[in-house]
Amino acid sequence: MTDPNAIQPSALDQLPDRDPEETAEWQASLDAVAKAAGPHRAAYLMRRTLERAEGTGIALPKLLETDYVNTIPTAAEPSVPGDEAMESRITAWNRWNAAAMVSRGSKHGVGGHIATFASAAWLYETGFNHFFKGKDSGEAAGSGDQLYIQGHASPGIYARAFLDGRLNEQHLDNFRQEAGGNGLPSYPHPRRLPWLWEFPTVSMGLGPLSAIYQARFNRYLTNRAIKDVSASHVWAFLGDGEMDEPESTAALALASREGLDNLTFVINCNLQRLDGPVRANFKIVQELEAQFRGAGWNVVKTLWGTAWDELFQLDTTGALVRRLREVPDAQVQTYQTRDAAYIRQDFFGKDPALVEMAKLLSDDKILECFHLSRGGHESRKVYAAYKAAVEFKGAPTVILAQTVKGFTLGEGFASKNANHQMKKLSVDEFKAMRDLLDLPIKDSDFVDGTVPYGHPGADSPEVRYLQERRAALGGPAPARRVHPVAPLPAPAEKAFASFDKGSGSQNVATTMAFVRLIKDLVRDKETGKRWVPIVPDEARTFGMESLFPSLGIYSPKGQTYEPVDRDQLMYYKEAKNGQILNEGITEAGSMADFIAASTAYSTHGEAMIPFYIFYSMFGWQRTADQMWQLGDQLGRGFLVGATAGRTTLTGEGLQHADGHSPVIAATNPAALTYDPAFAYEVATIVKDGLRRMYGEATPGEDPNVFYYLTVYNEPMPQPAKPSGLGIDEGIVKGLYRFNTAESAGLSSVANAPRIQLLGSGTAIHWVLQAQKLLAEEWGVAADVWSATSWTELRRDALDADAALLRGEERVPYVRQALHGAEGPVLAVSDYMRQVPDQIAQWVEQDYSSLGADGFGLSDTREAARRHFGVDAQSVVVAALAQLAKRGEVKATAVKEAREKYGL
């Protein structure tokens, strides 16, 4: 009979019950257990019942949290192949040299991080000894596994490279001292140490995001039959504090949705971030477990070492497990630093059953458990977790490994809140560490208080073992390799030449011109399949829907439904071998796609040509950190800021009005920033970009760059390319003369005052209109120049300045181009004046500029341009003002023009 006091289903309950009496019996059984054996026993039975249901395939919501114990019990742990004692000695040497390198560098004030690797050493060493495939792996030839190393652990990776002979003592002494050459960067950085590091990871949060999309891109390459990289596994080593970054968890659902079982996150849960506990009053491991389980990941917890086995065997009532669940992380950290008496009182003294258990434990046993024994510090525990991860199919795996930050570094380091900022150990602390690690380093080796590096010898058993293990796994790791692949053949010339004749009477936006160019290039028989179109759910905005049926949108499941627009010509087509990556509303995810594709030439030996097209306002402003990551990782490809400019998309208002992306892009040395005005300029820039990045680069020209092109959604007449020598060179270098007043048929006054008008992007059209007004209404001759790249002009000028300081004679290109041009120079852009002002100091003529400074606003294009003072009439007034200063037009002309145009 149903207990009248039990909570009854709501009248609004929509779950039908075909047998209420049976339901009542189950509920009554639960009530009886809770009453007789306590609520903990009832909860235990419910948990086991739910686990049973899940295991037999009954559809139930999964448990988001499990008890605070290891996922893999000791009895189920596989034995570790190889020599565990040897691996322990190798790890000891690496611990020592990592700490020595940072401590020695501290004398020069360069610092470094010691505590992170100290906590994570076995997480890395176990992988290097048994799991991480190298570039020469038979299974994953040319690719190996992709390792995203936690940035603050880099000293440990350098220490291992020192042990296996890839680095020497001079390298270690040059840690964080790169200016003189032969140095080591602070963190993983492919541009600074390109033979070792593949992925820059210290900008926290970008590593996990990139790792997910790298694993996804590996599947993309395989499914598109570019290269079978199904044997490659992606490993991302992360900190529990790092998981607070929104990018760290932004794509968890994508990874589970696409079943990326080629991906493993290893989160070092030392319970500390940079300034203190990650979750002082809570439990970060439980929080992360719930988050990852909820997102559909396989979760493996590796929390406790073997010393805890005895305690768990004594826990016949579950009191120990309950206590472990309720103790907050900051208190666990405190136990690490306190004596056995404190732990007996504070941890065991909270429950009578635990008090009795503690009576059976010696002080040494308690200290061993609470000070030393963590799952992340034992190769057997870590090996079991890694093996479970690589063998799990259907979903990605996250390993939550509990460690102690500063482990083996002594009482002054371990679990101290300040240990992230602590950069050195004293000589006495090093000697204590030596004794703990049992290393053969003599007191006499400490010369003048300097800690020595340790090495067992190039032919020692340790080094031979290390190298044999790496050889069996396919060579050294981490390692970056640029494969000797032949340059990609240039696409057919007709794809580019078709833009040279212009659009005639048809108005065409440069966004549409770019998309049309891409449509031609992806049809190329040689290189077409290597294009990777990337768009964040705005393909129709940019006119790319025509690519859907021809290229297909990538989906590992293909298309399991009939699209609603199947009867239309440009229907929505998904395919397992689809070429387009349509990411949904995530610029961060799209950039992560781009990074993976743009570095495939190195990661997998396959040159891919990504182009990522996006609202220009939501590129550099939102994801500039990833664009730095792209440059750091030596990525190649085309970023396309569409619907660009502050006045071109004004109906969308302030948040869509981009007046500054070229300014931000100019700060990135790897970004070649262009603001083309015409379709033929777009084609010329893309053609040259393909040559430089994927073809035969000019000697001294760095191919490891990426292009940022701004294109516009304003349909305008597209003129034919001007004839004459040097046009293509000018387009690529950043400036060429589009016309003169005479060639435009506008010069009717002999010896008329003359001005040079420079315009970029869509501003060229206002400048051309102003050229006509100046001639017809004010008797002024204006020559018009297209400034395709203010940034490249500036960089060339900076290089020229540097050459002069070296005693070389060199004139900046912008000065060469404008040399002899009559009159002042007026530069106009749809961006803030800071963009064209980049070249001001190298222009020998009088220089002024117009731009769209300030916040954007919603209105018509014409009204917005008048508001910012960049429309044709405003250009005329500014030009007359410049000429009036020189006495070449009457001073009253400026006022007359202002009144005439209503400014």
Side-chain angles (χ1 to χ4, degrees):
M1 194 168 183
T2 304
D3 182 353
N5 296 318
I7 297 175
Q8 301 300 314
S10 164
L12 300 178
D13 187 3
Q14 299 177 58
L15 299 176
D17 190 347
R18 67 180 185 182
D19 193 341
E21 188 172 344
E22 181 183 33
T23 303
E25 289 175 359
W26 277 75
Q27 293 171 335
S29 297
L30 182 64
D31 293 341
V33 171
K35 184 175 181 181
H40 297 300
R41 177 62 180 169
Y44 175 85
L45 290 175
M46 286 298 299
R47 183 178 294 276
R48 289 292 184 233
T49 302
L50 288 170
E51 289 172 352
R52 175 75 173 186
E54 182 180 338
T56 55
I58 297 174
L60 281 173
K62 292 185 178 180
L63 290 169
L64 295 185
E65 284 188 32
T66 58
D67 286 319
Y68 203 70
V69 296
N70 294 348
T71 302
I72 303 171
T74 301
E77 291 171 359
S79 59
V80 180
D83 188 333
E84 291 186 65
M86 181 68 71
E87 291 174 17
S88 182
R89 292 204 297 276
I90 291 170
T91 303
W93 284 115
N94 291 338
R95 286 182 182 279
W96 177 270
N97 287 320
M101 173 173 53
V102 177
S103 289
R104 287 166 69 116
S106 68
K107 293 194 300 184
H108 304 288
V110 296
H113 299 288
I114 301 178
T116 295
F117 179 74
S119 70
W122 276 113
L123 302 181
Y124 291 105
E125 292 298 320
T126 303
F128 285 128
N129 288 327
H130 301 286
F131 291 93
F132 304 157
K133 293 185 285 291
K135 296 290 185 184
D136 297 319
S137 163
E139 299 175 79
S143 298
D145 286 352
Q146 287 78 60
L147 308 180
Y148 288 78
I149 304 294
Q150 190 179 3
H152 293 140
S154 61
I157 309 305
Y158 291 141
R160 191 171 222 274
F162 169 64
L163 202 64
D164 74 7
R166 292 198 289 167
L167 294 175
N168 56 38
E169 287 194 13
Q170 183 183 1
H171 288 118
L172 300 193
D173 270 344
N174 285 338
F175 175 59
R176 292 194 171 196
Q177 299 176 71
E178 300 179 81
N182 210 31
L184 300 180
S186 307
Y187 305 121
H189 204 304
R191 193 169 284 275
R192 300 307 314 166
L193 203 62
W195 59 268
L196 181 72
W197 298 120
E198 279 196 287
F199 308 107
T201 53
V202 85
S203 189
M204 291 192 184
L206 299 190
L209 180 68
S210 294
I212 289 173
Y213 281 90
Q214 181 67 56
R216 197 279 195 95
F217 190 75
N218 290 357
R219 290 280 170 85
Y220 173 90
L221 286 177
T222 301
N223 288 336
R224 289 197 56 222
I226 301 291
K227 181 181 181 180
D228 184 356
V229 294
S230 54
S232 289
H233 200 88
V234 178
W235 300 82
F237 289 84
L238 317 168
D240 45 1
E242 180 179 5
M243 300 311 294
D244 284 347
E245 289 285 4
E247 294 90 349
S248 295
T249 55
L252 298 187
L254 167 73
S256 60
R257 184 169 65 244
E258 299 202 359
L260 298 181
D261 49 24
N262 59 340
L263 170 68
T264 298
F265 276 14
V266 181
I267 302 182
N268 178 18
C269 298
N270 57 35
L271 313 184
Q272 288 183 249
R273 51 189 178 197
L274 308 189
D275 288 329
V278 180
R279 291 292 183 272
N281 296 298
F282 306 94
K283 300 190 80 64
I284 186 60
V285 168
Q286 300 299 90
E287 179 182 320
L288 291 174
E289 178 184 27
Q291 194 168 14
F292 278 87
R293 283 189 187 277
W297 286 53
N298 175 44
V299 178
V300 177
K301 294 198 292 193
T302 302
L303 307 180
W304 307 112
T306 53
W308 284 83
D309 288 349
E310 180 183 342
L311 275 68
F312 288 123
Q313 289 169 3
L314 294 172
D315 184 29
T316 58
T317 66
L320 176 63
V321 173
R322 292 197 299 274
R323 181 69 178 132
L324 290 173
R325 277 184 66 102
E326 68 188 24
V327 175
D329 283 350
Q331 192 63 23
V332 173
Q333 182 183 351
T334 298
Y335 294 148
Q336 173 68 30
T337 64
R338 299 301 177 89
D339 59 20
Y342 178 89
I343 299 171
R344 284 183 188 278
Q345 178 181 350
D346 192 86
F347 181 83
F348 292 97
K350 303 296 184 182
D351 187 297
L354 294 180
V355 171
E356 294 302 312
M357 178 189 293
K359 292 177 181 178
L360 303 175
L361 304 173
S362 68
D363 284 356
D364 287 345
K365 182 66 176 181
I366 289 175
L367 293 179
E368 180 186 12
C369 288
F370 283 85
H371 286 192
L372 303 175
S373 189
R374 300 291 187 274
H377 294 323
E378 297 186 13
S379 62
R380 184 184 181 92
K381 303 291 185 185
V382 177
Y383 181 87
Y386 285 8
K387 190 171 188 292
V390 297
E391 291 178 354
F392 189 87
K393 300 304 176 186
T397 294
V398 59
I399 295 168
L400 302 175
Q402 185 164 261
T403 66
V404 174
K405 192 167 186 177
F407 189 65
T408 73
L409 298 180
E411 294 180 358
F413 260 86
S415 284
K416 292 295 192 291
N417 281 337
N419 60 20
H420 187 78
Q421 281 72 35
M422 297 164 70
K423 312 300 181 188
K424 61 182 179 179
L425 283 74
S426 68
V427 170
D428 287 342
E429 287 173 324
F430 264 113
K431 290 179 179 178
M433 181 182 177
R434 171 201 61 190
D435 296 341
L436 176 66
L437 298 176
D438 194 24
L439 291 173
I441 296 172
K442 301 185 293 293
D443 284 355
S444 59
D445 293 335
F446 292 81
V447 180
D448 297 328
T450 299
V451 57
Y453 294 120
H455 199 292
D459 196 40
S460 64
E462 292 94 332
V463 173
R464 288 202 307 271
Y465 182 90
L466 182 155
Q467 293 175 340
E468 288 168 3
R469 291 306 308 141
R470 288 312 314 159
L473 288 164
R480 180 179 181 273
R481 182 181 299 175
V482 177
H483 303 263
V485 294
L488 294 182
E493 180 64 28
K494 66 179 181 179
F496 306 101
S498 62
F499 292 90
D500 291 352
K501 61 185 179 182
S503 63
S505 59
Q506 183 183 9
N507 288 340
V508 177
T510 50
T511 297
M512 295 301 101
F514 177 81
V515 172
R516 180 185 146 194
L517 173 64
I518 295 300
K519 287 169 67 175
D520 290 340
L521 293 175
V522 297
R523 294 192 187 104
D524 185 86
K525 292 182 180 179
E526 295 289 334
T527 60
K529 69 178 182 179
R530 297 192 176 273
W531 283 89
V532 183
I534 303 168
V535 60
D537 201 34
E538 289 283 2
R540 297 182 193 279
T541 300
F542 306 135
M544 291 173 58
E545 64 269 31
S546 61
L547 299 178
F548 289 169
S550 58
L551 301 184
I553 298 166
Y554 173 73
S555 169
K557 289 186 176 295
Q559 193 157 37
T560 60
Y561 61 92
E562 183 177 358
V564 67
D565 53 1
R566 183 62 183 87
D567 57 344
Q568 297 178 17
L569 182 62
M570 291 183 282
Y571 66 96
Y572 196 82
K573 177 186 175 184
E574 296 187 79
K576 189 173 182 179
N577 64 347
Q579 194 164 349
I580 301 169
L581 293 173
N582 190 344
E583 284 308 338
I585 305 174
T586 168
E587 286 84 3
S590 299
M591 269 306 303
D593 268 336
F594 188 91
I595 291 169
S598 70
T599 53
Y601 73 91
S602 171
T603 310
H604 295 299
E606 295 289 343
M608 304 299 287
I609 312 172
F611 79 87
Y612 164 36
I613 188 167
F614 50 90
Y615 271 97
S616 68
M617 182 68 163
F618 303 139
W620 286 90
Q621 175 172 299
R622 178 168 284 183
T623 56
D625 197 12
Q626 288 178 284
M627 289 157 178
W628 276 97
Q629 180 190 9
L630 167 65
D632 292 346
Q633 203 166 314
L634 289 80
R636 306 170 183 174
F638 297 95
L639 297 177
V640 183
T643 62
R646 181 147 279 166
T647 70
T648 307
L649 192 69
T650 53
E652 299 282 354
L654 167 63
Q655 290 189 321
H656 287 65
D658 172 22
H660 52 281
S661 69
V663 177
I664 307 175
T667 65
N668 190 310
L672 277 60
T673 304
Y674 287 90
D675 187 24
F678 304 123
Y680 66 80
E681 293 177 353
V682 173
T684 301
I685 294 165
V686 171
K687 178 182 177 182
D688 191 70
L690 289 172
R691 175 201 63 79
R692 176 169 178 171
M693 296 184 291
Y694 300 96
E696 297 286 354
T698 302
E701 198 174 42
D702 185 5
N704 299 314
V705 295
F706 60 93
Y707 284 65
Y708 175 54
L709 280 71
T710 48
V711 293
Y712 299 82
N713 72 330
E714 185 174 14
M716 299 295 288
Q718 296 297 326
K721 180 190 287 190
S723 58
L725 297 174
I727 298 297
D728 284 0
E729 179 190 25
I731 291 172
V732 172
K733 288 192 170 183
L735 183 69
Y736 69 97
R737 182 155 47 196
F738 176 72
N739 70 17
T740 63
E742 290 75 15
S743 66
L746 297 171
S747 180
S748 58
V749 179
N751 300 317
R754 186 172 291 269
I755 189 169
Q756 307 300 315
L757 301 179
L758 280 56
S760 66
T762 196
I764 200 80
H765 300 287
W766 326 326
V767 168
L768 289 169
Q769 188 180 352
Q771 179 191 41
K772 185 176 181 182
L773 292 174
L774 283 167
E776 295 177 350
E777 299 182 5
W778 303 97
V780 172
D783 300 337
V784 172
W785 300 70
S786 180
T788 53
S789 179
W790 309 101
T791 301
E792 288 306 296
L793 292 173
R794 175 179 175 80
R795 287 177 177 170
D796 171 80
L798 289 171
D799 288 345
D801 285 356
L804 286 173
L805 293 177
R806 296 192 300 268
E808 303 170 18
E809 288 295 326
R810 187 175 152 200
V811 179
Y813 174 79
V814 65
R815 185 167 293 171
Q816 294 178 45
L818 290 170
H819 181 68
E822 296 179 46
V825 170
L826 175 61
V828 187
S829 114
D830 200 18
Y831 296 95
M832 55 199 304
R833 288 176 59 185
Q834 189 174 341
V835 175
D837 284 351
Q838 291 180 88
I839 66 169
Q841 72 186 82
W842 294 280
V843 175
E844 57 189 15
Q845 294 89 342
D846 293 337
Y847 186 90
S848 63
S849 64
L850 294 176
D853 285 75
F855 288 109
L857 76 170
S858 298
D859 212 310
T860 64
R861 290 173 179 145
E862 293 75 14
R865 287 163 187 166
R866 176 59 57 92
H867 169 81
F868 286 111
V870 293
D871 62 349
Q873 292 77 13
S874 298
V875 174
V876 169
V877 171
L880 293 175
Q882 284 294 92
L883 293 169
K885 277 188 202 175
R886 298 160 58 95
E888 295 180 23
V889 299
K890 57 185 180 180
T892 57
V894 179
K895 181 181 179 183
E896 291 172 14
R898 237 182 357 248
E899 292 174 350
K900 177 180 177 70
Y901 300 131
L903 297 176

